[in-house]
Amino acid sequence: MIRSEILREIAPVIRDHLVVCNIGIPSQELHAIDDQPTNFYMLGTMGLASSIGLGLALAQPKKVIAIDGDGSVLTNLGTLPTIANNPADNYILLIIDNGSYGSTGDQPTYAGKKTSLTAVAKACGCDNVIECRAEDTKKVLEEALAGDRMTVIVSKCESGNAKMPVITLDPVVIRHRFMEAVKA
Ligand SMILES: [Mg+2]
């Protein structure tokens, strides 16, 4: 399974929640599969989906799902101790770990080599870290949403991208409709 197949499976589960999505092809895929005003697409901030998601979860009570990638988490590795030490039980970080920098040509990341982001998240102090197969992501995510505990999910999948159009929505529109969804 590749990332777009995971996104297709979880789309009905995340549709009614606030979602902050990783820059590049992940956001293009989610936008094409199931665009929602509750989706906040990163258009220029590699590595910051998990940080923005945490801040949003701490600032208001609705559940927040950040969909991040292994390359982006490695780019902003300081996010994991920040998440661990500022727990928000309405926050789920879903790291779709395909072992590659998908948006720049599938170059391998260290998460696809010797570095386990699951082990890193645990070592940083995240209490509830679940590594799963791509096929189990939907079930694990549903269970995390049913619980009231901050959860980090590391979904191990294959490298590869779906051919999706770029997002033509104006960033101001994406921000505005997302802010309205947060307030609704
Ligand atoms: Mg990746």
Side-chain angles (χ1 to χ4, degrees):
M1 260 179 116
I2 61 173
R3 177 187 52 244
S4 63
E5 294 170 308
I6 295 174
L7 292 174
R8 216 173 274 287
E9 279 208 3
I10 67 172
V13 176
I14 65 176
R15 182 173 293 144
D16 296 327
H17 296 287
L18 301 175
V19 174
V20 181
C21 189
N22 187 20
I23 189 172
I25 295 177
S27 274
Q28 290 175 21
E29 290 175 347
L30 180 61
H31 174 262
I33 290 166
D34 190 29
D35 179 41
Q36 295 289 333
T38 45
N39 293 347
F40 189 58
Y41 307 111
M42 301 288 95
L43 297 184
T45 50
M46 182 164 177
L48 290 181
S50 62
S51 304
I52 292 170
L54 174 67
L56 181 61
L58 288 168
Q60 56 80 57
K62 291 180 183 173
K63 297 210 178 197
V64 177
I65 302 161
I67 300 174
D68 217 338
D70 52 309
S72 285
V73 170
L74 286 165
T75 297
N76 176 23
L77 212 47
T79 193
L80 291 172
T82 306
I83 289 167
N85 287 280
N86 298 275
D89 285 330
N90 57 339
Y91 184 48
I92 296 169
L93 170 58
L94 169 60
I95 302 170
I96 298 183
D97 180 358
N98 61 4
S100 66
Y101 292 101
S103 295
T104 57
D106 293 328
Q107 299 88 350
T109 69
Y110 291 136
K113 296 184 174 180
K114 290 178 72 175
T115 303
S116 161
L117 290 177
T118 306
V120 173
K122 287 179 181 172
C124 287
C126 296
D127 291 323
N128 191 26
V129 184
I130 301 167
E131 183 173 304
C132 69
R133 302 181 313 149
E135 292 76 9
D136 298 326
T137 308
K138 183 183 179 197
K139 179 171 164 285
V140 171
L141 184 57
E142 283 173 330
E143 286 168 358
L145 280 165
D148 280 315
R149 194 171 171 213
M150 187 169 78
T151 306
V152 177
I153 302 169
V154 180
S155 170
K156 303 287 283 185
C157 71
E158 290 167 41
S159 180
N161 307 295
K163 280 236 179 314
M164 301 290 190
V166 296
I167 298 173
T168 53
L169 282 172
D170 190 295
V172 175
V173 172
I174 295 173
R175 182 194 63 187
H176 177 74
R177 65 180 198 163
F178 186 75
M179 287 174 69
E180 292 300 309
V182 170
K183 286 189 278 185

